[in-house]
Amino acid sequence: MREIPQGSGQHAAIPSSVRRSREAIDRFPVLAPAYFDAMWEGDPLADAFVADAVALGKGRAMKMLRTACREGIAAVEDPPASLVALFAHLEDVPEWVDLAAIDRACRYVGRFTRQGGIVLGAASLVGGYANSAASRPLEMTGRYVENAGVRTIEVASWLVEASSTGGLLRYGKGFELTVRVRIIHALVREALRGDPRWDGPAWGVPICRAYLAYTLVEFCLIPLRGMAAIGAVFLPHEEAAYYARWRYIGHLLGIPPDLLATNKVEQEALEELYLMTRPEVDDYCRDLVGAINREFLVPEIEQLLPRPAHRWAPPIVHALERVFLGDQIATELAIPDTRLKTVIRRVGPALAAINGVLDRTPGMLSLRTAMGERYRIKQDARLRARYSVRHDLVDTAPTGRPHPARTG
């Protein structure tokens, strides 16, 4: 992350929901001021395009966006200057990006598909709800508690494509979905800026750059740590490539250089700062966790158990969340405590040892990766059928409650 001079922030005030700000600045004299400033920042490039979308018509604007993603900006008839500027930024690939090397290094990470799905729900998504200000847009768009399974499938759709071989190339599907996620954020931000329920002095800008930067921690550092806890340990070159991939995804999402974590050490620093200063958990945060557990995670664990053992699904989910999040955050989120967490903590190293042997066995990396891909395809089909999901992201969802990004 690029260093900036201490005290160079443009905003004297810090959102009132932030805790321990002075301690944070003492602990992180460079990172913390940039982080607090970013709470007042949206995404100028994406926000400008969304402002033009109002005049163009949202449906027409989003078609322009998808055409630019799939065919190039030159294929868009009479594009607004904001869209041209956005794609000039998106197509200016930083010199530190080497997608071919990332894809080579990550060739076999799909062997841990099962573990990755568990960690996505029970660590990445649930952990993100331990912040009432960051979670507030989900509440105010009125969608998640009633549609936990659908949104989880949408997030997984993006992550699968962004992590696939070639997915982040200029005309790859992962590139397109990442750009659309960026615009979805801008559409939500635009809708909430004019909403009298949004408490700007307390929360800053909706989906601010500070909390967007933490997305890398949620989908990179936390999953790697969570999967290791249940025995799915990546090889050193795979882990390095994982961080490199998410650094580029962060760039595509509009995270500024001074907050764009480049490696494990920088993500750990950002995580520590975030946890130190995050607003208090509130009842809506707890409702979000209850919804994803009740509507998605518990039923998914039940799929892995024989019917007589279904009663164990809730405590298994709670134990996994306790292991992934730690007892303090889990308690704040009203996740019940259970002795099963101790079992998982003891079994994890044994599974890691087994997987380590398999990783060193000739032919097993490719075999397990092929099995993981077959499992992923089967699970995706099952989940989409169960939740009647035929779209990828919310901007193409045809039915359901109104959402600022929905055009269907």
Side-chain angles (χ1 to χ4, degrees), residues 63-79 83-84 87-88 90-91 170-172 175-176:
K63 287 180 181 178
M64 287 183 171
L65 179 76
R66 287 191 285 272
T67 297
C69 285
R70 297 168 187 175
E71 303 175 40
I73 191 68
V76 180
E77 183 178 353
D78 195 22
L83 187 61
V84 174
F87 274 83
L90 292 168
E91 293 176 346
R170 169 59 185 87
Y171 294 100
F175 177 95
E176 176 188 332

Side-chain angles (χ1 to χ4, degrees), residues 11-95:
H11 303 280
I14 295 174
S16 61
S17 63
V18 170
R19 298 183 290 177
R20 301 166 65 186
S21 60
R22 175 48 55 188
E23 181 182 347
I25 292 172
D26 290 342
R27 175 74 177 86
F28 300 101
V30 172
L31 178 59
Y35 181 76
F36 293 143
D37 273 359
M39 292 182 175
W40 303 105
E41 298 171 359
D43 179 344
L45 289 172
D47 292 345
F49 172 65
V50 166
D52 285 337
V54 174
L56 291 168
K58 189 164 61 177
R60 180 186 174 196
M62 294 301 285
K63 287 180 181 178
M64 287 183 171
L65 179 76
R66 287 191 285 272
T67 297
C69 285
R70 297 168 187 175
E71 303 175 40
I73 191 68
V76 180
E77 183 178 353
D78 195 22
S82 58
L83 187 61
V84 174
L86 174 63
F87 274 83
H89 160 73
L90 292 168
E91 293 176 346
D92 184 15
V93 180
E95 61 181 12

Side-chain angles (χ1 to χ4, degrees), residues 18-230:
V18 170
R19 298 183 290 177
R20 301 166 65 186
S21 60
R22 175 48 55 188
E23 181 182 347
I25 292 172
D26 290 342
R27 175 74 177 86
F28 300 101
V30 172
L31 178 59
Y35 181 76
F36 293 143
D37 273 359
M39 292 182 175
W40 303 105
E41 298 171 359
D43 179 344
L45 289 172
D47 292 345
F49 172 65
V50 166
D52 285 337
V54 174
L56 291 168
K58 189 164 61 177
R60 180 186 174 196
M62 294 301 285
K63 287 180 181 178
M64 287 183 171
L65 179 76
R66 287 191 285 272
T67 297
C69 285
R70 297 168 187 175
E71 303 175 40
I73 191 68
V76 180
E77 183 178 353
D78 195 22
S82 58
L83 187 61
V84 174
L86 174 63
F87 274 83
H89 160 73
L90 292 168
E91 293 176 346
D92 184 15
V93 180
E95 61 181 12
W96 43 262
V97 176
D98 188 341
L99 291 176
I102 291 171
D103 284 343
R104 285 195 302 272
C106 293
R107 182 170 43 168
Y108 299 122
V109 299
R111 68 190 184 278
F112 294 135
T113 294
R114 289 174 175 82
Q115 296 92 328
I118 292 170
V119 171
L120 169 64
S124 296
L125 295 180
V126 170
Y129 303 148
N131 178 332
S132 56
S135 300
R136 196 68 58 184
L138 286 173
E139 176 183 13
M140 294 179 65
T141 54
R143 186 167 175 267
Y144 192 72
V145 169
E146 298 86 352
N147 295 273
V150 174
R151 183 173 182 272
T152 305
I153 292 169
E154 292 169 351
V155 172
S157 296
W158 166 48
L159 296 180
V160 165
E161 296 295 347
S163 301
S164 66
T165 299
L168 291 177
L169 293 174
R170 169 59 185 87
Y171 294 100
K173 183 67 172 176
F175 177 95
E176 176 188 332
L177 293 187
T178 303
V179 174
R180 284 167 54 196
V181 166
R182 183 173 180 175
I183 298 303
I184 290 169
H185 290 162
L187 287 163
V188 172
R189 193 160 44 242
E190 176 66 20
L192 296 186
R193 275 179 175 150
D195 192 318
R197 297 173 299 165
W198 184 263
D199 187 348
W203 304 327
V205 169
I207 313 183
C208 66
R209 277 182 155 175
Y211 295 150
L212 181 63
Y214 186 71
T215 300
L216 268 65
V217 175
E218 290 178 333
F219 292 117
C220 186
L221 174 65
I222 289 175
L224 287 172
R225 191 168 59 209
M227 289 200 295
I230 55 176

